[in-house]
Amino acid sequence: MIKIQDIRDAARDMLAKGEVRAVIGWQRGSRGMAAEPVVINAPEQADGLVWDPTCYHNLSLYLVNDKKAQAHAKQKPTLPIAIIAKGCDARSCVVLMQENYFRRDDIYIIGVSCEGTGVIDERKLAVALGGVKPTSAAFDGDDYVVTLPDGSEKRLPAREVMADRCLECREPFPKENNIALGEDKTGRALEAPFAALARFEQQSEAERWNYWQRQFDRCIRCFACRSVCPMCFCDECVVDSIEMKVAPTTSAEEKASRVRWIERSNTLADNFGYHMTRAMHLAGRCIDCGECERVCPVNIPLRLLNNKMEREAREQFGYEPGASIGGPSLVSSFRDDDPGTWIR
Ligand code: SF4
Ligand code: SF4
Ligand code: SF4
């Protein structure tokens, strides 16, 4: 089991030796049990780092934010930035490097293995505890131990309250790393991969259509799912409103180049447009960190959509997102011997 002191020591040493300019990790949160992301840049801040089952966040998002901030400030850092990365966080770093968003030397990966468990699903935990809100949570082998507001502790089998993505996770170890802590349990899947998708697909086409209509009708288009996703890094997105003054002299080409493809209003049709566009943009890129689904305020099961794209990529092309930096990226590569005639 990973000792928090090992993570803190690694971060402290790197900062003290001037090997990295900052470390992205988790600290004790300000809203009860949940940890929160933090960027530290002084060795003494390393003592505030934490590692527990509430480290849900995919921290590669903060690498993207850092890169954008550097670009907007027209700065080119000379030192890498370190990230504490779970298996899924490390896979998204790999996708970002495949897409040349970063170079490998730009980042230093302190890998942390989820070993036999993963992160907590707060909604499952709330049900298990009858709504009582714990003040902290810890790993303990295949269990979680939560501390309740009265100071007592409760042990729960992790499988009962673990996030679905972790139950289906085959790669709880960050293969791409500079240093890695914890045991490598690659290949572990506590539930069959794509189990929820397989259950969903047992329904008829009409049932599935009705299901998605009901789900997308509830979407309030808050875009939290987009904001939390490290793969949604475009500065301009097709769903955003674009300010443009139209004058009599504005040409059709100018208008076309600034067209807003999807209206801001959250009608069912536009919600479908948003979610289908996003799903297509994530094909072969989503690494199933589950963050979009976790942050959705109305509990839309976005993993089902993303998993569908992931499974198609796997079955049709043998493609696994985030598997290797040097490997091809799904949507920007082709094979000369592709059986489809369109390629010629
Ligand atoms: S999906 Fe896998 S790597 Fe990510 S938190 Fe869950 S178990 Fe860990
Ligand atoms: S987070 Fe949920 S409600 Fe918000 S835009 Fe995404 S799917 Fe819709
Ligand atoms: S689409 Fe969702 S699950 Fe996939 S990488 Fe983005 S936040 Fe993670």
Side-chain angles (χ1 to χ4, degrees):
M1 206 164 86
I2 296 174
K3 294 193 201 85
I4 182 59
Q5 205 51 47
D6 291 341
I7 297 178
R8 290 173 179 166
D9 288 348
R12 186 185 304 102
D13 282 2
M14 272 171 230
L15 287 166
K17 288 179 186 157
E19 292 171 349
V20 296
R21 60 193 155 90
V23 178
I24 305 170
W26 297 272
Q27 67 180 0
R28 200 52 298 117
S30 52
R31 59 168 194 102
M33 170 185 77
E36 64 186 20
V38 63
V39 182
I40 62 168
N41 44 34
E44 59 275 17
Q45 293 173 320
D47 285 335
L49 294 173
V50 299
W51 168 239
D52 68 32
T54 68
C55 294
Y56 325 112
H57 326 81
N58 182 340
L59 296 184
S60 67
L61 174 69
Y62 298 88
L63 287 176
V64 172
N65 293 347
D66 175 72
K67 176 88 179 185
K68 284 184 180 178
Q70 302 283 349
H72 288 155
K74 298 198 183 342
Q75 286 171 348
K76 207 160 182 218
T78 49
L79 286 175
I81 185 164
I83 175 175
I84 302 174
K86 307 184 292 298
C88 45
D89 306 6
R91 287 198 300 282
S92 47
C93 290
V94 168
V95 174
L96 290 163
M97 287 186 274
Q98 276 180 320
E99 297 179 355
N100 293 320
Y101 203 83
F102 305 113
R103 290 175 302 126
R104 182 64 185 88
D105 294 347
D106 293 340
I107 60 175
Y108 191 102
I109 300 177
I110 305 171
V112 283
S113 174
C114 292
E115 300 183 320
T117 62
V119 296
I120 282 178
D121 180 324
E122 281 196 34
R123 290 155 185 152
K124 290 185 190 174
L125 185 66
V127 173
L129 297 179
V132 175
K133 292 189 173 165
T135 54
S136 66
F139 295 112
D140 193 0
D142 291 340
D143 295 339
Y144 298 138
V145 177
V146 294
T147 305
L148 303 177
D150 64 4
S152 64
E153 286 186 343
K154 189 169 173 64
R155 177 175 291 273
L156 294 159
R159 284 188 72 136
E160 291 179 7
V161 290
M162 203 189 295
D164 287 347
R165 54 159 158 154
C166 300
L167 287 169
E168 296 180 23
C169 179
R170 299 172 300 280
E171 217 174 88
F173 184 81
K175 260 199 306 199
E176 186 65 37
N177 66 69
N178 294 86
I179 54 168
L181 303 169
E183 202 181 331
D184 181 353
K185 295 210 174 177
T186 301
R188 175 218 92 177
L190 303 176
E191 268 204 34
F194 307 112
L197 177 63
R199 282 193 295 275
F200 177 71
E201 289 187 335
Q202 283 168 0
Q203 300 176 71
S204 69
E205 195 177 316
E207 285 170 324
R208 283 181 277 148
W209 176 245
N210 288 338
Y211 177 85
W212 282 118
Q213 280 196 315
R214 286 199 307 279
Q215 298 302 329
F216 291 150
D217 206 24
R218 296 187 301 112
C219 173
I220 55 174
R221 297 273 290 286
C222 64
F223 295 134
C225 47
R226 183 184 65 167
S227 301
V228 82
C229 178
M231 303 309 159
C232 280
F233 55 66
C234 302
D235 277 338
E236 274 191 13
C237 175
V238 290
V239 303
D240 287 335
S241 311
I242 297 170
E243 294 289 329
M244 180 188 178
K245 289 204 173 71
V246 178
T249 51
T250 308
S251 69
E253 286 77 16
E254 282 173 297
K255 286 182 198 165
S257 70
R258 306 299 278 175
V259 72
R260 193 192 312 165
W261 295 101
I262 298 167
E263 287 299 324
R264 181 70 186 86
S265 55
N266 60 334
T267 60
L268 180 58
D270 283 320
N271 287 354
F272 259 104
Y274 166 58
H275 286 289
M276 290 303 112
T277 303
R278 189 162 178 275
M280 294 300 161
H281 286 188
L282 288 162
R285 305 176 65 238
C286 166
I287 43 68
D288 197 20
C289 71
E291 279 296 273
C292 48
E293 182 169 301
R294 182 182 71 82
V295 300
C296 176
V298 293
N299 297 343
I300 294 178
L302 296 168
R303 272 191 73 240
L304 271 184
L305 267 188
N306 302 333
N307 277 187
K308 173 73 176 165
M309 304 306 290
E310 186 185 345
R311 201 187 58 190
E312 290 300 315
R314 175 187 299 256
E315 290 178 355
Q316 303 289 328
F317 304 103
Y319 189 79
E320 178 103 35
S324 97
I325 299 170
S329 122
L330 181 71
V331 290
S332 59
S333 54
F334 63 92
R335 286 183 3 216
D336 284 339
D337 60 347
D338 190 293
T341 51
W342 64 273
I343 202 85
R344 297 174 193 94

